[in-house]
Amino acid sequence: MSIVPFSPEVLQTACNLLAAGDVVAIPTETVYGLAADATNDQAVAKIYATKQRPEFNPLIIHFHSASQASQYVEFTELAKRLAEKFWPGPLTLVLKRLKDSESPISLLASAGLDTLAVRIPSHPIAQALIKLYGKPLAAPSANLSMTISPTCALDVQASLGSRVPLIIDGGATKIGVESTILDLSGPEPTLLRPGGISLELLRAEIADIRFYHGSSIKAPGMMQRHYAPSSRIRLNAQEKNNLDEKMLGFGTIQGDLNLSPAGDLEEAAANLFRMMRELDAQLTASGVKSKSIAVAPIPTHGLGLAINDRLTRAAHSED
Ligand code: TXA
Ligand code: MG
């Protein structure tokens, strides 16, 4: 059994594994991460192998504080302001790497780019581990590539199982969708991925935010199939098409499960991946020929933007 509840001893075990170049699954406030020493190329390679990622997408690098991150990246005035406002928390900033930082981050972790995606998680276990380990951790979501991100320790075990020597159990994640990624390395602030910090909150700090559209190496996380369950996803549904279909409700639109009967988008984000997994599993277990999940319309404000982004990707799945 690789799931272990949090304790000071398990943190030390995790540090030993990280120092030996191994991976460890850890809770963050967004989703569970598959962490490895970001300065160790072999360890970073192990992340890709464990997740079975087809390509070397750049990974988010996790630090315990902005001051630790400032040893590796350049902070612009805007980056400083956003860091003060939103860190620790679910905002990832893409910043220029310092030319000659003393302990370099593995180039494999940033896919050879001259920038780094920097995140300071607020989860106490993630914080404690990064502080104790002392070096930054690369950590994508702790699931097989192309599958739904894990929001509890059992999700990680179901997806990665014995491939991970240690899963630290920190209970269900609070936010439930990944961090917002904002690129500050170019001339204009650019939103690469909507997530746990809403666009409204960002816009209160920055007047002009560009949206990134496209599929270059800049944001391979934008790959459409990234979040696909095995069932077909039918969006903006008012009701089921047929008896075999499962329905994910929201607000007053009922379903087999409801993301938030009260219509609360934060509650819906926290429930999203768990409920998609659950309906997907129910359909698989029932043995129906064509598996389909209908999803009620979700407003696009607040965390609704991130929820719709993940749902759209799931819906565009090829198979
Ligand atoms: O909530 C989260 O952010 C979770 C938890 C575990 O912290 N982590 C996560 O990490 O989602 P990851 O590594 O899966 O996120 C990768 C995304 C990709 O879409 C990638 O393109 C983008 O971050 N990214 C990483 N480095 C980048 C860079 N230098 N420039 C642009 N995008 C980058
Ligand atoms: Mg992921």
Side-chain angles (χ1 to χ4, degrees):
M1 189 72 169
S2 61
I3 297 182
V4 181
F6 171 75
S7 70
E9 293 74 40
V10 80
L11 276 194
Q12 193 51 58
T13 308
C15 283
N16 297 343
L17 286 164
L18 292 169
D22 221 325
V23 292
V24 175
I26 60 166
T28 83
E29 71 277 22
T30 56
V31 299
Y32 274 68
L34 185 65
D37 185 332
T39 67
N40 177 339
D41 280 322
Q42 274 80 39
V44 172
K46 199 156 194 169
I47 291 180
Y48 293 113
T50 306
K51 283 182 65 81
Q52 301 184 328
R53 273 209 185 183
E55 306 142 32
F56 291 157
N57 301 334
L59 303 174
I60 293 177
I61 313 300
H62 297 63
F63 301 86
H64 59 70
S65 62
S67 78
Q68 186 192 20
S70 67
Q71 298 173 260
Y72 301 86
V73 288
E74 248 171 68
F75 275 80
T76 59
E77 282 310 310
L78 178 57
K80 281 184 200 157
R81 195 146 55 75
L82 294 176
E84 200 133 298
K85 181 94 187 168
F86 296 111
W87 283 355
L91 175 67
T92 295
L93 296 179
V94 174
L95 301 170
K96 287 213 172 98
R97 280 171 88 124
L98 286 178
K99 291 258 150 41
D100 36 34
S101 70
E102 293 232 321
S103 1
I105 306 279
S106 153
L107 272 178
L108 182 58
S110 63
L113 299 172
D114 57 0
T115 53
L116 280 189
V118 174
R119 166 151 149 70
I120 319 291
S122 64
H123 195 289
I125 296 178
Q127 272 285 330
L129 180 62
I130 304 169
K131 275 198 186 121
L132 186 65
Y133 189 59
K135 290 194 243 174
L137 302 178
S141 53
N143 55 296
L144 289 177
S145 184
M146 307 290 184
T147 66
I148 301 169
S149 291
T151 55
C152 65
L154 278 173
D155 286 352
V156 178
Q157 193 174 52
S159 191
L160 299 176
S162 58
R163 297 162 159 272
V164 184
L166 175 64
I167 302 168
I168 302 181
D169 192 352
T173 60
K174 272 222 177 66
I175 293 172
V177 292
E178 295 85 346
S179 61
T180 300
I181 305 181
L182 186 69
D183 187 353
L184 299 181
S185 68
E188 293 166 274
T190 305
L191 185 77
L192 299 183
R193 178 176 78 181
I197 295 285
S198 71
L199 194 56
E200 289 89 336
L201 281 174
L202 284 181
R203 283 205 169 119
E205 302 299 317
I206 320 169
D208 257 339
I209 300 178
R210 220 167 59 87
F211 282 81
Y212 181 80
H213 300 285
S215 55
S216 77
I217 184 72
K218 198 86 208 233
M222 310 295 269
M223 264 184 342
Q224 287 293 1
R225 287 194 63 227
H226 198 71
Y227 297 93
S230 68
S231 302
R232 200 171 76 85
I233 301 288
R234 195 165 64 80
L235 299 178
N236 296 314
Q238 299 294 329
E239 57 189 16
K240 293 189 194 190
N241 253 351
N242 59 67
L243 284 177
D244 283 346
E245 194 170 47
K246 294 283 177 190
M247 173 102 196
L248 186 55
F250 177 81
T252 55
I253 298 184
Q254 296 304 328
D256 297 281
L257 294 173
N258 192 318
L259 286 169
S260 170
D264 179 326
L265 289 166
E266 288 182 21
E267 182 185 14
N271 285 332
L272 178 68
F273 291 151
R274 180 175 58 79
M275 290 186 172
M276 287 214 298
R277 269 173 195 273
E278 196 166 321
L279 294 180
D280 203 33
Q282 285 179 17
L283 284 163
T284 302
S286 73
V288 294
K289 273 214 186 74
S290 95
K291 301 192 288 175
S292 172
I293 300 171
V295 186
I298 313 290
T300 53
H301 60 86
L303 290 197
L305 190 66
I307 296 172
N308 277 292
D309 171 78
R310 305 305 188 270
L311 284 171
T312 307
R313 288 161 204 246
H316 284 203
S317 149
E318 233 72 297
D319 43 8

